[in-house]
Amino acid sequence: MRTAAPRRTPRPTAVTQAAAHGGRPGVKSNLAARLADDLLRAPVDLRRQALKQHVGAAELPHLLREVERAVGSRFGLWADTPSGFIEDILGETIWSKQRQIVDSVLTAKRIAVPAGFGVGKTWIAARLCAWAGCVNPAGTMVIVTTATRFRQVRNQLWPHIRKTIARAGLPGRADTTQWKIPDAYGNEVLVAYGFSAPEHDEAAMQGIHGTPKLLIIVDEAGGIARTVGNGTNNLLTGDAKMLAIGNPAMDDPRSWFELLCEEGEDPEEPTTITIPIATFDSPAITGERVPYCRDCPDGVPKHSLAIHLPDQDWVDRTLREYGEDHPYVIAKVHAKFPKGGGGKAIPTLWVEYAQQVEDPTGPGYVRLCDLGLKGETATHTVKRGAWVRLGVDVAADGGDEFTIYRCVGDAIEHRHHSSGSENDNQVKVAQRILEEIEQAQRLADALGSTAPVRVKIDQNGLGHGAVGMLKTWAENGRHRAEIVGVMVSESPGHDDPGAVMRPFKKRDEMWLATRALLQPDPGTGDGRLRLRTDRNAAIQLTTPKLQYNSGGHTVIESKKAMRARGMKSPDRAEAVLLAVYEPEPIIRRGGGLLV
């Protein structure tokens, strides 16, 4: 019969000695100082356990005073455990996902939380605010809270903050949207405040970072305008953190919040993490064991925290009411971003299909990297004999990008992008395009292509001069490619009065042509293009809105309108469009039409 191993007697420390002396006046101050030092050095779990087991109510004030003397805040013992602060100091209970959210602020700079309905997102954001305001000495940290509308800041988040401060007896005072705490000299210092910014105010987030530490809490993040959201990046320098939490937007494709959540899932962006909370994660559905609720007023019968969270009945009723594929269900139940058309020129889902479609293999297909050509390192396959085309969008000014994309058969890939002063000379631009033409020609020859390399260039601005130079160089024998200048402001090359979508200008025609090529086939679910492009090109392809003018023509949202809502000029996307767009028939070598 096995006997239990004897329990080891712990080494005497200030913790155990304080318990043994019972806090007698003669030893209280010295032991409190030693105890504070021991606990500040101890791991989180051991520290919290020692506080619960060995520090009574009489000793705690002396201990906290010593902690404050050592680190500047009497709550310094919880500086590395937001979840512990919520449980030990606020006396409240949290569940696993909420614990993960608040504790992640210790290691990540940006925390994105796409959340379903009723999972306690605003509640937990308020508790994180309370932790940050208390564990840092007054004047060393400022917490900025924002939301889509000021009424959301005032009526949703800040009532939680005020309640938390008052009920836990936290220092300072809080009004409608401000929390002030006296500093070491007795001066009231603004520790946290709430505001909202006009949708297109690029300067709204300037001038905020005035303390060593900053925490930005973005509530209802799904509705934050891109201009405002992008402004937070200018603030996240040094010891600055951001929590962005909210329901995914249902009617704002490629929103700032959606892009932030995608960034958090990208392994190449280690400072950003995404923690989704779907309604299905609710303990009322998963059966996760959670503590009793300690947030309800005294007198309410003891009950589980799970009672306050969505249950399976709510999910079932929502599914019956909306249907599984409805944007509301996707956003509010699954905590995902709807991928339908949503009024976009090219739906996000179509682009994702084109990115994920498998490369064809078998006879006739070869990987680009296996052709033995210098500079061809891509691993996707192309078909022997495929025609090679280039799309070039020349920067209109120093603020836009000069981009080149290549289409080999049905596969599109990024070849070049640059911006700034290197694009302000049409000779340099033309020379860079020529380099890509020469590479494309080597590839076409290796594949045995029967069509000439075709280069479509946006002829606006510097593009006009580049087109002229490249055509002259072709006449002089410097290359064999066909150079096609495209004026996107001209009328479309083809107009079918009976078509559902009739483009108004050539730019609209280009977008609609690519849309048609990316539209999945009802039978196979695949489009006719494979996108082996960069992430920025994919984002830009799904950015412009699909609109209609008074004459019934289809109009793609203008660059000016996109900039007004905080979007960049879609230069990469339009180079992709040019790569596949054919305003004129192509003649094979030796005769015969290709298209």
Side-chain angles (χ1 to χ4, degrees), residues 335-376:
K336 295 182 179 180
F337 293 87
K339 302 294 186 182
K344 292 181 287 187
I346 300 177
T348 304
L349 198 58
W350 297 6
V351 171
E352 290 183 351
Y353 287 159
Q355 290 177 304
Q356 297 167 3
V357 65
E358 293 184 0
D359 292 320
T361 57
Y365 283 93
V366 61
R367 296 195 309 169
L368 283 171
C369 60
D370 293 337
L371 289 170
L373 298 176
K374 183 179 179 180
E376 297 296 344

Side-chain angles (χ1 to χ4, degrees), residues 392 394 425-427 429-431 433 457-459 461-473 483:
V392 182
V394 181
N425 185 302
Q426 63 183 15
V427 177
V429 168
Q431 183 62 44
I433 298 172
I457 303 173
D458 181 356
Q459 205 165 338
L462 286 177
H464 181 79
V467 167
M469 295 184 71
L470 289 164
K471 285 184 175 181
T472 300
W473 290 345
I483 306 299

